[in-house]
């Protein structure tokens, strides 16, 4: 429909839409009753240092909050992971209306938006660029957003968005604790092996999708939609909305759950 059409029109999606022979692409629909409860799955352990927050920028597809990942100051371990992973950035995907916008779905249920916290395996690799090519290279935490009460922690980020309306604009952004965007319960999650959801679509991601969503206000989400896909020079400005990928075949993969 319109949403998928808009997304496919974005330059990002011209060219091969799937990794040739890709059999672990993302996002997917999580069918709850088909997920396998794995009691071996440990709780997630996040240790985020707000001082590693560096900048926020519009990359023409979403907006990214980037962290200094030259040391192990902001890390993720535990859960399904064997190694320690460093936070390098977080970003969101959202729709033009509250009816859709998330990349993953739960029993086909769509959410208005989805947060991705992107980490890379610093036990095995020395740079993100290396890890992004490896099976066990990346770990991304996915958090669903629902429209409801205002999210106080998100507001500092929302207030920075007007300064990065156009593609390629960057502003300094410091002392932001991404932990404030996690729900109270991070013990309950689904996990599966998949890919980046935009090019290069590499199949290097251990996905960790939290069961509990966070709430943001309608007005906060509306500011996301005030961003533009286009740079200041382009004559036709396009609203940054529907920046999500369509769901991909499961190809026999198992989704594990950390909870009953
Ligand atoms: N939506 S998501 O699956 O979380 C996702 C999708 C795409 C990316 N992405 C796109 C380009 N890159 C990237 C950036 C720098 C680099 F050296 C190599 C990359 F693949 C990347 O990490 C990062 C995260
Ligand atoms: Zn993403």
């Amino acid at each position: 429909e319109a949403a998928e059409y808009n997304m496919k029109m974005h330059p990002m999606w011209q060219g091969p839409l799937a990794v040739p022979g890709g059999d672990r692409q993302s996002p997917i629909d999580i069918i709850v009753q088909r997920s396998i409860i794995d009691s071996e799955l440990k709780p997630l352990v996040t240790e985020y240092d707000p001082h590693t927050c560096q900048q926020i920028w519009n990359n023409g597809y979403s907006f990214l909050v980037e962290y200094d990942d030259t040391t192990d100051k902001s890390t993720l371990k535990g859960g399904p992971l064997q190694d320690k992973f460093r936070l390098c950035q977080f970003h969101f995907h959202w729709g033009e209306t509250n009816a859709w916008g998330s990349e993953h779905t739960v029993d086909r249920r769509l959410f208005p938006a989805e947060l991705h916290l992107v980490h890379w395996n610093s036990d095995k690799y020395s740079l993100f660029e290396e890890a992004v090519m490896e099976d066990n290279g990346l770990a991304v935490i996915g958090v669903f957003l629902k429209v409801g009460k205002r999210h106080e922690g998100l507001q500092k980020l929302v207030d920075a968005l007007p300064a990065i309306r156009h593609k390629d604009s960057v502003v300094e952004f410091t002392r932001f604790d991404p932990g404030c965007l996690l729900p109270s319960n991070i013990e309950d999650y689904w996990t599966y092996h998949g890919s980046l959801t935009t090019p290069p679509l590499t199949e290097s991601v251990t996905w960790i999708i939290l069961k509990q969503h966070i709430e943001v206000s309608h007005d906060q989400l509306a500011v996301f939609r005030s961003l533009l896909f286009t740079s200041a020079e382009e004559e036709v400005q396009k609203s940054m909305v529907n920046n999500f990928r369509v769901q991909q075949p499961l190809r026999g993969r198992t989704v594990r759950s950390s909870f009953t």
Side-chain angles (χ1 to χ4, degrees):
E1 68 191 72
E4 283 182 28
Y5 175 80
N6 283 350
M7 186 271 287
K8 283 215 177 91
M9 286 309 289
H10 185 281
M12 158 83 76
W13 296 102
Q14 310 320 316
L17 279 184
V19 175
D23 55 5
R24 48 172 283 196
Q25 289 289 294
S26 293
I28 61 167
D29 175 45
I30 295 165
I31 302 170
V32 174
Q33 78 196 23
R34 287 197 201 149
S35 63
I36 306 291
I37 299 162
D38 182 346
S39 53
E40 308 268 303
L41 285 171
K42 298 179 182 60
L44 291 172
V45 178
T46 60
E47 287 171 9
Y48 293 142
D49 176 351
H51 293 94
T52 57
C53 189
Q54 290 182 319
Q55 60 188 20
I56 185 169
W57 68 291
N58 177 332
N59 72 349
Y61 188 67
S62 182
F63 64 89
L64 308 185
V65 177
E66 293 194 320
Y67 284 75
D68 166 19
D69 62 357
T70 55
T71 69
D72 266 345
K73 280 207 186 113
S74 288
T75 60
L76 164 65
K77 60 185 196 294
L81 306 170
Q82 309 306 324
D83 297 317
K84 179 180 280 194
F85 287 68
R86 263 182 214 168
L87 174 70
C88 66
Q89 55 104 330
F90 70 80
H91 63 274
F92 298 79
H93 302 263
W94 59 90
E96 63 193 291
T97 82
N98 293 338
W100 63 75
S102 63
E103 297 212 299
H104 291 87
T105 50
V106 179
D107 290 341
R108 290 280 166 216
R109 176 181 176 193
L110 287 156
F111 292 83
E114 185 172 332
L115 160 64
H116 289 157
L117 295 133
V118 183
H119 310 74
W120 57 275
N121 188 332
S122 56
D123 278 350
K124 293 244 173 13
Y125 310 105
S126 48
L127 283 175
F128 176 86
E129 287 77 355
E130 275 175 66
V132 77
M133 306 305 289
E134 306 295 334
D135 274 7
N136 57 359
L138 304 183
V140 182
I141 297 178
V143 185
F144 294 118
L145 274 65
K146 272 184 74 177
V147 176
K149 64 182 186 308
R150 182 182 139 107
H151 192 296
E152 292 312 325
L154 186 73
Q155 195 53 37
K156 175 178 175 176
L157 188 153
V158 168
D159 290 339
L161 297 184
I164 56 162
R165 275 196 82 209
H166 289 102
K167 179 173 184 279
D168 296 331
S169 40
V170 191
V171 289
E172 190 189 41
F173 193 70
T174 56
R175 287 185 304 285
F176 185 84
D177 172 13
C180 85
L181 297 177
L182 296 176
S184 50
N185 172 2
I186 61 169
E187 282 192 12
D188 294 351
Y189 57 84
W190 294 280
T191 182
Y192 77 99
H193 293 293
S195 74
L196 298 180
T197 64
T198 70
L201 300 172
T202 45
E203 299 182 333
S204 54
V205 182
T206 297
W207 278 97
I208 301 165
I209 307 291
L210 301 187
K211 177 184 163 218
Q212 188 178 46
H213 62 268
I214 59 169
E215 274 193 25
V216 303
S217 71
H218 177 88
D219 291 354
Q220 287 178 315
L221 209 44
V223 180
F224 284 23
R225 299 188 185 107
S226 72
L227 292 171
L228 300 168
F229 280 134
T230 43
S231 57
E233 296 72 40
E234 292 175 68
E235 56 284 353
V236 180
Q237 299 294 333
K238 294 194 182 75
S239 292
M240 186 181 276
V241 293
N242 302 327
N243 55 358
F244 54 81
R245 189 188 193 191
V246 293
Q247 305 202 320
Q248 303 298 308
L250 195 55
R251 289 271 189 278
R253 283 174 285 178
T254 300
V255 177
R256 289 182 290 160
S257 78
S258 70
F259 62 98
T260 50

